[in-house]
């Protein structure tokens, strides 16, 4: 599954807010406080309390500002959905919440043959599906074989199995995977295992969203019992789950959708929800408004995602067919480098993220220190508008009457995809217009609700990009290989991030995938990051922190990942919800809808004001659909 995938996402993608202008944080906090007193959720969820309903059931309600893309683990790419799938289904292995090292999951142990081409997994005998059927190695074999043989089923996680030659289940507790070449990620296959007796009846994996019959059959620690589009997802504790240590103390987890994150923050202040998930982070104004508020605790830790500018290098299919309408000027690396040398990432971190982020460098965030890379002094594309201007001159785009003009006499103008729901995109976009405008380059922000549509059609020049990264970086590296290119033009989805295809990069990818020595593999990964940096196809501007909040009168404690300093929402596992302890005697207020035209009008005005002064909504998608990355 991708967390880096993330698609977050990818968009798996994005960040915290603020407008690119000089915004008064105090004004943002004041307006948000007014919102807190008036705002009501746009999409009421079932009539339940945040921490406990009238029947005594302990319910943890999580406010999210991101929609479910698909409840099918074969299709889902958004951070919210992939996080839910980690609760519903087992993976072969899991990650320890303390330090991300690999631990048993559906498999209790594993062993590779001397040549590393055959991996044998011992599947646990004490797991069963929520409908009572025993979960076995045959379910795992079915899952992997389906992804290997059905392109639609490979939409979300196909990169994990491209090197698989054969997958069999000789017995209920034995899974055997034969590889074409050695593969170092065999203990990091982030693929949800599904029940064969349910999924074998699916006719078209491209259209089946797994959202018509409830409860959904799974074997994870929680069972999905109900779902309403853009309203809520309900999961109940699986009492038959094999892991008994630290059994969840909340009976039910509800992910409640708010189309505006300011309204979600207001619901937290009023006690209507227990937790607000940053998507992937609360805005600086939202965080400031919650600081010091009674019964509310802020959590901030190093993020697992990056925030970047992506260029369109020329959309194409696997067979080389070109499509889309990307500006051909971006095929010149000098133009790409010029754009990036005119981006002041320090200003973006200071003014947009207000310090709740780290300046961007390499592709992998510094949280994953083993793979973190930064350019050398001579390699670094530092903020240098004069150097950028010289590059544009060399590329054949001289400055005439204040505009850069090509050989065809046309001015150099770019379109940039941005997310309507992400204030960061608009704030950063304002700076980019100013900085690139001084170079004589025009920029038009093309903000849409679902950037995936024009993105997969190649109908863009530049775009805001971002992915959440898994402990093993293979997935986010694989989305830039030639194998990730789409089979056809203008599809609704694709495994590629932005149509990159280069032999040198592919060779490095193959080498790192086959390298079992951790230090040597990390060295190869850093070489790939260096290539990506030099190519100019992407510019990593920032690594946003994870900023989120919860009510201490409803949640006594909850575990971050990593334990020392990490995130609660969007973990590589289910540990936050597994570990959450209800506050003693907590009694959340009901979360039903409130009507009243005057209140709704006032809330709308306040939210609009927040957008103007720098607060604003914050949506995250695992993929780029809104703002996050892939998980």
């Amino acid at each position: 599954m991708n967390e880096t995938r993330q698609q977050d996402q990818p968009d798996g993608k994005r960040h915290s807010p603020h407008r690119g202008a000089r915004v008064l944080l105090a004004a943002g906090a004041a307006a948000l406080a007014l919102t807190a007193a008036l705002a009501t959720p746009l999409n009421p969820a079932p009539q339940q309390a945040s921490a406990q309903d009238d029947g005594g059931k302990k319910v943890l309600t999580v406010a999210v500002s991101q929609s479910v893309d698909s409840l099918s683990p074969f299709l889902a790419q958004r951070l919210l959905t992939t996080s839910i799938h980690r609760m519903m289904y087992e993976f072969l292995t899991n990650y320890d919440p303390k330090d991300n090292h690999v631990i048993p999951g559906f498999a209790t142990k594993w062993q590779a043959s001397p040549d590393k081409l055959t991996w044998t997994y011992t599947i646990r005998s004490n797991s069963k599906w929520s409908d009572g059927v025993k979960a076995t190695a045959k379910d795992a074999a079915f899952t992997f074989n389906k992804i290997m043989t059905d392109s639609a089923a490979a939409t979300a996680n196909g990169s994990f199995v491209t090197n698989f030659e054969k997958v069999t289940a000789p017995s209920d507790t034995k899974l055997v995977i034969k590889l074409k070449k050695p593969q170092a990620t065999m203990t990091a296959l982030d693929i949800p295992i599904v029940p064969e007796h349910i999924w074998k009846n699916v006719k078209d994996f491209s259209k089946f969203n797994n959202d018509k019959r409830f409860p959904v059959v799974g074997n994870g620690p929680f069972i999905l019992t109900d779902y309403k589009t853009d309203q809520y997802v309900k999961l109940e504790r699986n009492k038959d789950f094999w892991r008994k240590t630290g059994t969840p103390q909340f009976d039910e987890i509800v992910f409640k959708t708010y189309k505006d994150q300011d309204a979600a923050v207001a619901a937290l202040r009023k006690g209507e929800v227990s937790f607000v998930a940053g998507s992937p982070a609360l805005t600086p104004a939202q965080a400031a408004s919650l600081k010091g508020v009674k019964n509310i605790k802020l959590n901030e830790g190093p993020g697992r995602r990056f925030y970047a500018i992506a260029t369109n290098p020329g959309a194409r299919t696997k067979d080389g067919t070109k499509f889309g309408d990307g500006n051909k000027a971006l095929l010149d690396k000098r133009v790409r480098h010029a754009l990036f040398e005119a981006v002041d990432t320090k200003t973006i971190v200071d003014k947009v993220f207000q310090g709740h982020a780290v300046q961007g460098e390499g592709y992998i965030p510094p949280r994953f220190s083993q793979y973190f890379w930064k350019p050398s002094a001579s390699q670094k594309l530092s903020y240098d508008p004069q150097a950028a201007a010289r590059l544009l001159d060399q590329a054949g785009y001289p400055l005439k009457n204040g505009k850069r003009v090509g050989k065809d006499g046309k001015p150099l103008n770019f379109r940039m995809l941005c997310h309507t729901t992400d204030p960061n995109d608009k704030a950063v976009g304002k700076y980019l217009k100013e900085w690139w405008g001084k170079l004589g380059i025009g920029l038009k922000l093309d903000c849409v609700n679902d950037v995936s549509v024009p993105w997969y059609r190649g109908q863009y020049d530049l775009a805001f990009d971002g992915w959440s990264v898994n402990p093993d970086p293979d997935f986010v590296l694989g989305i830039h290989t030639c194998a990730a290119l789409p089979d056809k033009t203008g599809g609704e989805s694709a495994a590629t991030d932005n149509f990159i295809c280069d032999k040198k990069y592919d060779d490095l990818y193959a080498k790192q995938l086959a390298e079992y020595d951790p230090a040597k593999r990390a060295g190869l990964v850093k070489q790939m990051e260096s290539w990506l940096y030099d190519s100019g196809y992407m510019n990593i501007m920032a690594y946003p922190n994870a900023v989120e909040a919860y009510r201490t009168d409803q949640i006594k404690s909850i575990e971050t990942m990593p334990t020392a300093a990490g995130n609660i929402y969007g973990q590589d596992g289910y540990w936050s919800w597994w570990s959450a302890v209800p506050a003693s005697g907590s009694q959340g207020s009901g979360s039903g809808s409130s009507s009243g035209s005057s209140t709704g009008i006032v809330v709308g005005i306040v939210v609009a004001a927040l957008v103007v002064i720098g607060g604003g909504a914050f949506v995250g998608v695992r993929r780029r659909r809104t703002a996050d990355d892939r998980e």
Side-chain angles (χ1 to χ4, degrees):
M1 191 147 209
N2 327 299
E3 273 118 288
T4 186
R5 252 165 126 23
Q6 94 63 72
Q7 290 144 348
D8 167 149
Q9 275 279 270
D11 216 66
K13 287 170 142 48
R14 269 114 185 59
H15 357 302
S16 79
H18 213 322
R19 232 56 191 180
R22 286 76 184 158
V23 183
L24 295 178
L25 181 59
L32 188 59
L34 179 57
T35 305
L38 299 172
T40 57
L42 299 180
N43 293 302
Q47 298 290 326
Q48 313 173 299
S50 302
Q52 189 174 7
D53 65 16
D54 296 336
K57 182 187 293 185
K58 294 177 181 177
V59 181
L60 192 164
T61 303
V62 179
V64 295
S65 50
Q66 180 182 62
S67 299
V68 168
D69 52 349
S70 176
L71 289 179
S72 165
F74 296 96
L75 301 178
Q77 296 181 333
R78 295 186 180 182
L79 183 61
L80 168 63
T81 320
T82 55
S83 297
I84 289 172
H85 285 148
R86 286 187 177 275
M87 302 167 70
M88 297 169 57
Y89 301 103
E90 279 272 75
F91 294 30
L92 286 182
T93 59
N94 207 332
Y95 299 101
D96 188 282
K98 292 182 177 58
D99 59 8
N100 292 329
H101 77 265
V102 175
I103 60 175
F106 191 43
T108 59
K109 58 183 180 180
W110 42 88
Q111 184 175 7
S113 61
D115 62 3
K116 301 292 193 296
L117 292 178
T118 301
W119 281 73
T120 302
Y121 300 83
T122 299
I123 302 301
R124 65 176 59 258
S125 59
N126 59 341
S127 176
K128 65 179 180 180
W129 300 106
S130 53
D131 60 0
V133 176
K134 183 177 177 61
T136 72
K138 292 179 174 60
D139 296 301
F142 168 81
T143 301
F144 293 133
N145 279 305
K146 180 56 66 174
I147 296 174
M148 292 165 62
T149 58
D150 187 322
S151 60
T155 298
N157 300 302
S159 64
F160 288 110
V161 304
T162 53
N163 186 44
F164 287 13
E165 182 176 296
K166 186 179 182 181
V167 181
T168 58
S171 71
D172 286 352
T173 58
K174 186 177 181 180
L175 178 73
V176 179
I177 301 178
K178 291 187 177 182
L179 305 173
K180 301 171 186 175
K181 300 177 182 178
Q183 181 169 327
T185 61
M186 296 305 288
T187 58
L189 300 173
D190 293 330
I191 298 176
I193 305 302
V194 302
E196 179 181 11
H197 67 284
I198 300 294
W199 287 83
K200 69 180 182 181
N201 298 317
V202 175
K203 298 293 190 295
D204 187 345
F205 276 72
S206 68
K207 298 179 180 179
F208 182 73
N209 284 310
N210 199 27
D211 58 359
K212 295 295 185 286
R213 299 183 65 179
F214 301 98
V216 176
V217 177
N219 66 337
F222 296 89
I223 301 169
L224 198 154
T225 58
D226 196 12
Y227 164 68
K228 286 289 187 339
T229 303
D230 291 336
Q231 294 186 38
Y232 62 85
V233 180
K234 293 173 57 177
L235 299 105
E236 293 184 358
R237 178 168 59 91
N238 182 359
K239 297 178 182 178
D240 295 323
F241 186 59
W242 63 266
R243 189 186 296 276
K244 302 303 179 185
T245 304
T247 302
Q249 297 186 40
F250 278 96
D251 301 299
E252 186 172 78
I253 311 291
V254 178
F255 292 90
K256 184 176 179 181
T257 304
Y258 288 79
K259 291 187 176 180
D260 182 284
Q261 187 156 302
D262 291 319
V265 171
L268 181 76
R269 295 174 68 104
K270 292 190 291 185
E272 294 178 347
V273 298
S274 311
F275 180 95
V276 168
S279 302
L282 298 178
T283 68
Q286 290 165 347
S289 76
L290 295 174
K291 190 174 183 178
V293 176
K294 184 180 179 181
N295 296 326
I296 291 180
K297 182 176 181 177
L298 281 167
N299 177 64
E300 180 166 2
R304 53 182 288 236
R305 61 183 307 279
F306 62 78
Y307 179 48
I309 296 172
T311 65
N312 182 346
R316 51 182 160 169
T317 61
K318 283 189 175 75
D319 65 7
T321 302
K322 296 179 180 180
F323 63 96
D325 59 2
N327 192 317
K328 288 182 172 54
L330 291 171
L331 299 179
D332 190 325
K333 184 167 68 173
R334 293 171 297 185
V335 174
R336 302 195 297 267
H337 278 196
L339 292 175
F340 297 159
E341 286 197 289
V343 176
D344 185 354
T345 56
K346 186 177 186 304
T347 293
I348 289 172
V349 168
D350 291 344
K351 299 296 185 180
V352 178
F353 291 99
Q354 295 185 18
H356 297 280
V358 176
Q359 272 184 265
E361 292 182 293
Y363 188 56
I364 308 297
R367 168 166 161 173
F368 305 101
S369 57
Q370 181 181 6
Y371 300 108
F372 177 62
W373 170 89
K374 60 173 65 177
S376 64
S378 61
Q379 183 182 18
K380 187 174 178 61
L381 297 173
S382 301
Y383 178 57
D384 190 342
Q386 291 182 338
R390 289 194 295 270
L391 281 173
L392 290 170
D393 289 338
Q394 294 169 15
Y397 294 94
L399 191 63
K400 294 182 179 180
N401 299 320
K403 300 290 185 182
R404 292 283 167 178
V405 179
K407 294 179 180 179
D408 57 3
K410 295 181 179 179
L412 192 59
N413 297 318
F414 296 117
R415 304 159 298 165
M416 188 162 194
L417 277 177
C418 75
H419 308 85
T420 302
T421 51
D422 190 347
N424 285 341
D425 287 3
K426 296 174 184 177
V428 174
K430 186 172 182 178
Y431 279 112
L432 296 180
K433 279 187 176 182
E434 176 186 342
W435 294 331
W436 292 346
K438 290 178 179 178
L439 286 176
I441 296 173
L443 180 67
K444 177 184 177 182
L445 291 181
D446 185 10
C447 297
V448 295
N449 290 326
D450 188 350
V451 300
S452 293
V453 175
W455 197 309
Y456 291 136
R457 292 174 180 171
Q459 296 172 343
Y460 68 100
D461 301 325
L462 301 156
F464 289 103
D465 196 5
W467 289 76
S468 292
V469 178
N470 292 333
D472 189 292
D474 179 73
F475 180 83
V476 287
L477 298 173
I479 58 178
H480 298 307
T481 60
C482 298
L485 292 175
D487 293 321
K488 60 181 180 179
T489 62
E492 294 182 0
S493 64
T496 187
D497 185 29
N498 46 34
F499 306 101
I500 295 173
C501 177
D502 180 88
K503 185 179 185 305
K504 181 177 179 181
Y505 183 88
D506 273 20
D507 288 344
L508 287 170
Y509 176 78
K511 288 179 180 177
Q512 69 81 30
L513 186 62
E515 181 55 68
Y516 280 79
D517 182 281
K520 291 180 180 178
R521 183 175 180 229
L524 290 165
V525 169
K526 291 176 182 179
Q527 288 183 50
M528 297 176 70
E529 294 183 77
S530 178
W531 183 92
L532 277 173
Y533 188 91
D534 288 341
S535 74
Y537 290 132
M538 299 182 71
N539 180 34
I540 310 300
M541 294 183 288
Y543 310 109
N545 291 348
V547 186
E548 50 205 354
Y550 64 91
R551 294 197 62 92
T552 56
D553 57 348
Q554 296 181 19
I555 302 175
K556 180 181 179 180
S557 63
I558 191 166
E559 190 166 355
T560 63
M561 182 179 185
T563 303
N567 54 296
I568 294 171
Y569 174 73
Q571 294 182 357
D572 295 288
Y574 45 73
W575 307 113
S576 50
W577 319 121
W578 179 273
S579 68
V581 176
S584 58
S586 63
Q587 179 70 45
S589 59
S591 58
S593 62
S594 299
S595 58
S597 58
S598 60
T599 299
I601 292 171
V602 174
V603 171
I605 294 173
V606 173
V607 170
L610 279 169
V611 172
V612 172
I613 64 176
F618 190 10
V619 177
V621 177
R622 204 174 168 195
R623 177 100 194 146
R624 60 185 101 79
R625 243 173 234 273
T626 41
D628 213 354
D629 32 346
R630 225 155 134 103
E631 172 196 24

